[in-house]
């Protein structure tokens, strides 16, 4: 039977640490007591959508834990502005707003009462009247996709989605109760959220940090909470590989998780020289977080792979007609598991819908399976026709980035029979691509245009934002 709540604090001794923020330590027993008190404050008259500002703060983390434990649904939001709040309120009509920006941004005309001061979680605003349809009983959280080729979509996740994926990640990466995960990523996206849920569910602790892992402030905070695990996206990996001081910090960690986009074998190889255990993972928000994991012991033998399915998951490669393809054949990655979302949401009314996916997900990613290991080769929607020839834009980028020694690139098709390749940095990089390398990029002769740009636009999760590529380019 589907769970109607989620308690992430059941494992571990009551005196064991759960949340650390600066010098403050909240034990698992204290966190549970606070969650119970906060749940009573939120009320149990009906299931509510609770929008929580900055879940990487102690008040925000406690509010999330309390809402999930009480059977409510959570809408986590980070880096919020008053305009962000108003968009969320108009679109999803949350019942309760938690956080100072949330409380201040919405006026009484929006149907909310005046701000209250809630114990442990701070400023709160409640809706004065019923917002509409009841929420689906299994709805636990509304997450936002990274939106590299669009503006991002809202994903409906269940309590079972969160619980199953947290357990799978804990098993796949060997989380110990003595571990401390530093929140190196936003928790309103799936990768950062999975670090939070998987460590708490395994009885480990979470160090609440908001600085970026490319900053000295983050690493000072990681040392202060005794972090043993950090999650990184590939763009941050590239930055750290150019920073000797940051590489020294990696050696103190027990585990390093890399996900959120493609990382080259060379980058991962260099990273493994400095970190004890590097887990390379593949996932999507639509699958709660992680779908596969490359174990460090298998990394050298299977370079270029994203590993095997996490426990409880299953991967197949299927053709355009939906038929299963044999090992070695390229097709769309099809995933099945208890962590697959309930479905998407566009409005409050969609939050009342039941599960429409049936635990199955067509990922939109191209890949092949060899010896049980999954290898990705870009996106289905990133295949284009140029002079009648099929071109994989992701493969063009991967080849160019490899030639340039890790310099970021972005390939787009602004017009028929043309591909623009943008290179981050100065014109000297273009000279390295010209000549014999052009033929290896897979674009028909005469159809490739090379451009430089000071900085490629990225989403909040570090992925290239293709809809904005080209705005700052120079020929």
């Amino acid at each position: 039977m589907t769970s109607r709540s989620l308690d992430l604090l059941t494992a571990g001794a009551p005196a064991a640490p759960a949340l650390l923020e600066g010098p403050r330590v909240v034990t698992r027993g204290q966190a549970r007591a606070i969650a119970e008190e906060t749940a009573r404050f939120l009320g149990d008259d009906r299931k509510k959508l609770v929008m929580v500002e900055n879940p990487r703060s102690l008040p925000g983390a406690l509010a999330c834990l309390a809402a999930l434990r009480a059977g409510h649904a959570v809408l986590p939001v980070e880096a919020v502005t008053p305009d962000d709040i108003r968009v969320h309120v108009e679109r999803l009509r949350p019942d309760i707003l938690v956080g100072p920006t949330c409380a201040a941004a919405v006026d009484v005309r929006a149907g909310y009462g005046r701000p209250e001061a809630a114990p442990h979680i701070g400023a709160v605003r409640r809706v004065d009247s019923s917002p509409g349809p009841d929420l689906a009983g299994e709805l636990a959280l509304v997450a936002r996709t990274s939106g590299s080729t669009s503006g991002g979509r809202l994903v409906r996740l269940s309590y079972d989605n969160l619980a199953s994926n947290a357990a799978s990640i804990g098993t796949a990466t060997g989380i110990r109760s003595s571990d401390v995960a530093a929140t190196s990523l936003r928790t309103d996206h799936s990768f950062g959220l999975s670090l939070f849920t998987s460590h708490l569910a395994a009885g480990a602790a979470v160090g609440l940090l908001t600085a970026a892992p490319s900053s000295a402030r983050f690493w000072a905070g990681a040392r202060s909470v005794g972090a043993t695990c950090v999650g990184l996206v590939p763009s941050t990996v590239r930055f750290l590989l150019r920073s000797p001081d940051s590489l020294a910090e990696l050696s103190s960690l027990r585990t390093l998780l890399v996900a959120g986009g493609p990382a080259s074998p060379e980058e991962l190889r260099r990273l493994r020289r400095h970190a004890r255990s590097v887990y390379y993972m593949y996932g999507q928000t639509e699958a709660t977080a992680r779908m596969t994991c490359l174990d460090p012991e298998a990394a050298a033998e299977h370079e270029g792979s994203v590993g095997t399915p996490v426990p409880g998951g299953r991967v197949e490669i299927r053709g355009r007609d939906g038929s299963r393809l044999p090992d070695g054949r390229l097709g769309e990655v099809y995933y099945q598991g208890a962590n697959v979302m309930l479905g998407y949401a566009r409005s409050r009314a969609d939050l009342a819908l039941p599960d429409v996916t049936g635990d199955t997900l067509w990922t939109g990613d191209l890949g092949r399976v060899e010896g049980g290991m999954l290898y990705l080769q870009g996106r289905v929607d990133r295949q284009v026709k140029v002079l009648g020839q099929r071109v994989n834009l992701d493969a063009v980028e991967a080849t160019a980035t490899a030639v340039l020694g890790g310099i970021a690139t972005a390939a787009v098709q602004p017009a028929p029979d043309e591909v623009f390749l943008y290179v981050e940095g100065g014109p000297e990089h273009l000279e390295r691509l010209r000549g014999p390398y052009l033929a290896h990029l897979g674009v028909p002769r005469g159809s490739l245009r090379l451009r430089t740009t000071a900085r490629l636009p990225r989403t909040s999760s570090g992925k290239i934002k293709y809809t904005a590529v080209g705005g700052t380019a120079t020929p």
Side-chain angles (χ1 to χ4, degrees), residues 65-285:
L65 292 173
L68 291 171
R69 191 170 187 269
H72 298 305
V74 176
L75 172 63
V77 291
E78 289 206 24
V80 292
T81 67
D83 286 342
D84 295 329
I85 299 301
R86 285 187 280 270
V87 168
H88 281 301
V89 167
E90 289 178 11
R91 189 174 184 183
L92 296 177
R93 296 295 299 167
D95 302 272
I96 297 178
L97 314 177
V98 178
T101 306
C102 291
V106 180
D107 59 33
V108 176
R109 289 175 297 177
Y112 290 81
R114 298 194 175 279
E116 306 173 54
H120 308 293
I121 63 173
V124 170
R125 291 281 285 269
R126 303 172 188 264
V127 70
D128 283 336
S129 58
S130 172
D134 289 340
L135 304 176
E138 60 265 52
L139 180 68
L141 189 135
V142 181
R144 186 162 55 88
T145 66
S146 58
S148 58
T149 55
S150 65
R153 307 174 78 176
L154 295 176
V155 171
R156 299 181 292 122
L157 301 175
S158 72
Y159 303 110
D160 283 350
N161 290 157
L162 296 178
S164 66
N165 207 230
S168 295
I169 293 170
T171 300
T173 62
I175 297 176
R176 302 171 183 173
S177 60
S178 57
D179 281 329
V180 178
T183 53
S184 50
L185 300 155
R186 294 170 58 129
T187 46
D188 57 353
H189 287 302
S190 60
F191 187 12
L193 174 69
S194 71
L195 289 171
F196 182 84
T197 59
S198 61
H199 280 77
L200 287 178
V206 174
L208 298 168
L209 307 177
T210 56
S214 56
S215 69
R217 187 160 67 93
F218 171 84
W219 293 106
R223 289 194 301 272
S224 72
V225 299
T228 63
C229 174
V230 167
L232 300 175
V233 296
S235 59
T236 308
V237 168
R238 295 180 193 113
F239 176 88
L240 296 180
L241 289 174
R242 299 193 295 269
S243 170
D245 291 341
S246 299
L247 289 176
E249 299 283 3
L250 295 180
S251 63
S252 66
L253 301 172
R254 192 177 77 81
T255 56
L256 189 65
L257 309 183
V258 179
S264 73
E266 171 61 20
E267 290 166 347
L268 294 173
R269 196 181 309 129
R270 292 175 59 197
L271 198 61
R272 291 198 300 271
R273 296 180 195 143
H274 299 276
R276 282 185 259 175
S277 293
V278 179
Y279 291 86
Y280 185 37
M281 309 180 81
Y282 159 59
Q284 292 186 354
T285 306

Side-chain angles (χ1 to χ4, degrees), residues 319-340:
R320 294 185 180 182
D321 61 356
S323 62
R324 183 176 179 178
L325 299 178
D327 279 12
R329 289 280 303 278
L330 184 67
E332 184 171 355
V333 179
Y334 169 96
Y335 179 84
Q336 188 168 38
N339 51 316
V340 174

Side-chain angles (χ1 to χ4, degrees), residues 279-416:
Y279 291 86
Y280 185 37
M281 309 180 81
Y282 159 59
Q284 292 186 354
T285 306
E286 289 87 343
T288 305
R290 308 300 97 202
M291 294 185 286
T292 69
C293 178
L294 179 62
D295 189 278
E297 298 296 323
E301 183 181 354
H302 300 283
E303 282 195 339
S305 170
V306 293
T308 58
V310 296
R314 184 165 63 91
V315 166
E316 292 180 359
I317 305 301
R318 301 204 172 185
R320 294 185 180 182
D321 61 356
S323 62
R324 183 176 179 178
L325 299 178
D327 279 12
R329 289 280 303 278
L330 184 67
E332 184 171 355
V333 179
Y334 169 96
Y335 179 84
Q336 188 168 38
N339 51 316
V340 174
M341 65 176 180
L342 300 172
Y344 293 109
R346 295 177 301 278
S347 66
R348 171 78 185 208
D350 293 331
L351 303 185
L353 296 175
D355 181 4
V356 298
T357 67
D359 293 346
T360 60
L361 178 65
W362 290 89
T363 66
D365 290 319
L366 287 169
R368 70 185 193 280
V369 171
E370 292 183 0
M373 310 293 285
L374 176 64
Y375 295 79
L376 298 178
Q377 291 186 229
R379 294 282 298 171
V380 172
D381 56 10
R382 294 268 292 154
Q383 291 191 106
V384 299
K385 284 289 187 73
V386 179
L387 298 177
Q389 178 179 324
R390 188 172 296 278
V391 173
N392 185 326
L393 296 177
D394 290 319
V396 173
E397 283 179 17
T399 302
T401 296
V403 168
L404 295 172
I407 300 296
T409 63
V412 295
Q413 187 183 41

